[in-house]
Amino acid sequence: MITFDRVSKRYDEGHDALREVSVDIDRDDLVFLTGHSGAGKSTLLRLIMLMDRPTRGQVTVDGRNLATVGSRAIPRHRRDIGVVFQNHQLLFDRPVFDNVALPLIIAGYDYQEVGRRVRAALDKVGLLERERAMPVTLSGGEQQRVGIARAVVGKPKILLADEPTGNLDPALSAEIMQLFEEFNRVGVTVLIASHDLALISRLRHRIITLREGRLVSGSAA
Amino acid sequence: MSARRLAAQRREGASQSRTGFQDLYRAWMRHHRLSAADSLYRVLDKPLSSVLTWLVIGIALALPVGLNVALDNVDHLSSGWDSPAQISLFLREDLEADRAQQFQQALAAREDIAGARYVSREEALAEFSELSGFADVLASLDENPLPDLVLVTPAGQGGEAASALREELQATPEVAQAVLDMEWLQRLNSLMELSRRLVLAVGGLLVLGVVLILGNTIRLAIESRREEIVIVKLVGGSNAFVRRPFLYTGLWYGVGGGVFAATLVALSLWFLSAPVDQLAALYQSGFQLSGLGIMGALNLVILGGLLGLTGAWLAVARHLVEIEPR
Ligand SMILES: Nc1ncnc2c1ncn2[C@@H]1O[C@H](COP(=O)(O)OP(=O)(O)O)[C@@H](O)[C@H]1O
Ligand SMILES: [Mg+2]
C-alpha cells in the first residue's frame, strides 16, 4: 500500500532527515513507526502526505508513484488519506460537528450524507453527544478523538497518525490505540508514528524503527 | 489506477454520491452557497469594522460618481441654451420708438435671421426688476438706465456665421452695441470637457484606491485565518476551495460599498435639491436635479462588487499560495 524505495530527504539547511529508507507497508496492516525525537518519523509521514518531496528515491502510495502527482493533484491525493496530528489541528472557532464534517464538505457531499457520516464517525469515537460542543470545552483525549473522527469520516484507505498520544496519560493513550486497531480491523491501512515504546510494544504489531534518518529494524514485514 | 482500486470504488459507489458530472456541479454550487453565506455572516458579525470599510469604499466611489452626476445636470441645464446663439442689439439711445420697430421688422424679414424680438427699455426694466429681485432699488432710480433692445436669433447654426452677422449688425447706424451671447457658452463647454476629464482621472485613482483597500482588507482576513487555511489544505482542500470564501468576502465588501456610494450620492442630491429649486424658480426655469436613477444605482453596486472581487483576487493570488502546511 505504501512503498519507500531508497528514499532520502535533505532539508535546505543540509540536514539529512531520511537516508536511503526502503520499506513496504502492506494493505490493511497496522504499523508503528518509532525512534527518538528527530529520527525522521514526521518527515516520513510528510512525504506520504506530499507536504514535502523526497530529495532522492521514490514513494509509492496505493499504486501511484508520488513523483507523478503534480501540485494541482495534491488535494485529491490528501483526500484519500486520513491524518491525525499530535496537536489535533482543530478549528477552534467551530463546533465538533463542523470540524469532523470538513473533509466531507471539501469532497462535496450533500448535507444529509454529511450529517449521517459525521454522526457515524462521532459515534465510533464515543463523542456523539458532544457534536455541538466547542473544541476548547473538551479534554485533550476528547480533542484527539475529534481529530480521529475527522481523519476517518471520509472513509480513507490509509490512516496516518503523528504522535497521536503524545500529550495523553497511559490509560487514554491505550484507548486511542484501541480505536486505531478497530479501524484497522475494518480494512484501513494504519501507520502510527510514536516514540512511546512501552505502549506500542505491548500491542503486537509490526514496528519500524528509525535512527538518525536510517531504518534500523522492521524493514521486512 | 489499479484494478483493485477500481473494484474498491465500485463497492463504495452506492454510498459515494459523487459520481457524475451533475453531482460535481451540485457539490460545486453547494460550496458556493456555503462560502457566500459564511462570508456574509463573517462580514455582518463585525458590524463596526465592516461599516467603516463600506463607508471608505462608498466615499471613494461616491466622489467621482457624484461629480459626474453634477456635470450631467449642468450639461442638461445648458443644453437648453446651447443653440441657437443669440445676438443682443443695444439700440442707440436717441433712436425713436417707431424707427426702432421698423428696424426690428426689417431684421425679422431677413433670410439669415430666424427671429427678432423688440424689447422696449420699459419692458426690459420691468422684466429685470421682476427677475432680479431688485424691484425696490430700480423703482428708486430717477431714470431708466436700460436702452431699447432687439434680440436676434441667427438662422444658421455655427458660431462663425453668427459672428459675421454680429459684425455686420454692429456696423448699422441704429445699433450702439451688438453682443453675441455665445462666447461664454463655448467657454462653459470647454470647461465642462475639462471637468469631465478631471473627474475621470480622479475617478480612476479612487477606483485603484478602492481595489487596494479591498485587497488589503482581504489580506488581513487571510492572515487572521492562516491556521484554518493550513488545516483545510491538510485535509485535502484545493486552492479553489480555500479561495472561494475570501472572494465572497471581497464581493460583499464591494457590494456594500456600492450601496453606500449610491446612498451618499442620493443624500447629497437631496441636500442640494431645495436651493436648486429656489434658484430655478428665480430664473423661471422648470429645471430639476436628476440623480443616478435606479439603473445608475444598480450599476454602482455592480461596479462595487466587481472592484471587491478584483481586490480579493489580487490578495488571494498573492497570499494564499504562500500558506502551505509545514
Ligand atoms: N522543515 C524542516 N526544516 C529543516 N529541518 C527539519 C524540518 N523538519 C524536520 N527537520 C529536521 O529533520 C530531522 C527529523 O525531524 P522529524 O522528522 O520531525 O523527526 P521526528 O518526527 O522523528 O521527531 C530533525 O533533525 C529535524 O530537526
Ligand atoms: Mg515528529
Side-chain angles (χ1 to χ4, degrees), chain B residues 16-27:
Chain B
Q16 212 154 10
S17 62
R18 51 186 173 109
T19 38
F21 176 77
Q22 218 182 358
D23 287 323
L24 277 177
Y25 174 73
R26 258 192 233 120

Side-chain angles (χ1 to χ4, degrees), chain A residues 36-43 86 162-163 193 195:
Chain A
H36 295 296
S37 173
K41 305 183 292 294
S42 299
T43 301
Q86 176 175 1
D162 195 356
E163 309 278 2
H195 61 255

Side-chain angles (χ1 to χ4, degrees), chain B residues 93 121 125 138 140-146:
Chain B
E93 290 215 24
R121 45 197 313 220
L125 184 66
L138 292 168
S140 70
L141 292 177
D142 298 337
E143 211 179 317
N144 183 352
L146 300 175

Side-chain angles (χ1 to χ4, degrees), chain A residues 10-96:
Chain A
R10 169 173 288 186
Y11 283 111
D12 294 339
E13 293 78 16
H15 184 92
D16 289 311
L18 291 178
R19 303 166 207 232
E20 299 275 318
V21 172
S22 292
V23 69
D24 224 323
I25 292 162
D26 292 333
R27 188 174 294 271
D28 301 347
D29 207 356
L30 188 158
V31 177
F32 287 113
L33 181 61
T34 192
H36 295 296
S37 173
K41 305 183 292 294
S42 299
T43 301
L44 193 142
L45 296 184
R46 289 162 56 85
L47 293 183
I48 299 174
M49 296 230 9
L50 281 177
M51 287 165 72
D52 248 322
R53 303 271 185 180
T55 314
R56 268 192 319 263
Q58 180 175 310
V59 183
T60 310
V61 175
D62 199 11
R64 192 170 9 169
N65 178 358
L66 294 192
T68 65
V69 178
S71 60
R72 296 179 129 269
I74 289 177
R76 188 72 253 277
H77 171 71
R78 287 185 187 153
R79 275 176 238 162
D80 292 336
I81 302 174
V83 206
V84 178
F85 303 92
Q86 176 175 1
N87 54 358
H88 323 312
Q89 299 271 28
L90 300 180
L91 303 172
F92 281 93
D93 60 339
R94 271 171 243 194
V96 168

